Amino acid sequence: MPLLLSLPAFAAELVMYTRNGCPFCVRFEREVAPVYAKTPEGTAAPLRRVDLPAGGMRGGGLLEPVIATPTFVLMDGEKEVGRITGYLNDDMFWGLLGRLVAVIEIPQVQRSGAPTQ
């Protein structure tokens, strides 16, 4: 009987709050977005963009309101586990994101394919 490993389903995502005309959002889109999905971070927490309405965003599992763009909120399931407010350059972004993604609990997979506790 062949050994089958099932990969865990990831509930994490990186939500990018953005607005039209945000110069730092444009810079992120140019410097990071083209490669994000191909990275370990992008695999662990796929990027989802949300247009930030006037007055900001509250609730929805956020620990505090989002009022600035870009703001990157790492969500694990329905709750915020961390955020990056602003974007200066790709080196700073990757360093900060690496710390955030490290706190996501990723189930270990046993040879039987059942997640460990």
Side-chain angles (χ1 to χ4, degrees), residues 74-89:
L74 183 61
M75 301 293 288
D76 190 8
E78 298 291 320
K79 66 178 187 169
E80 177 181 339
V81 295
R83 72 173 60 192
I84 302 167
T85 302
Y87 178 81
L88 292 178
N89 60 52

Side-chain angles (χ1 to χ4, degrees), residues 8-99:
F10 297 110
E13 66 178 349
L14 184 65
V15 181
M16 176 187 179
Y17 290 92
T18 185
R19 276 197 183 116
N20 284 336
C22 166
F24 297 103
C25 301
V26 170
R27 187 171 177 183
F28 170 85
E29 294 293 348
R30 184 180 64 241
E31 296 176 353
V32 175
V35 299
Y36 182 80
K38 300 171 190 168
T39 66
E41 295 87 351
T43 301
L47 182 64
R48 179 169 61 96
R49 293 164 184 85
V50 173
D51 193 39
L52 186 64
M57 180 75 69
R58 291 169 168 50
L62 295 171
L63 295 175
E64 58 188 55
V66 175
I67 57 173
T69 61
T71 296
F72 303 89
V73 180
L74 183 61
M75 301 293 288
D76 190 8
E78 298 291 320
K79 66 178 187 169
E80 177 181 339
V81 295
R83 72 173 60 192
I84 302 167
T85 302
Y87 178 81
L88 292 178
N89 60 52
D90 59 340
D91 286 337
M92 183 175 284
F93 175 80
W94 291 117
L96 294 170
L97 183 62
R99 291 185 202 156

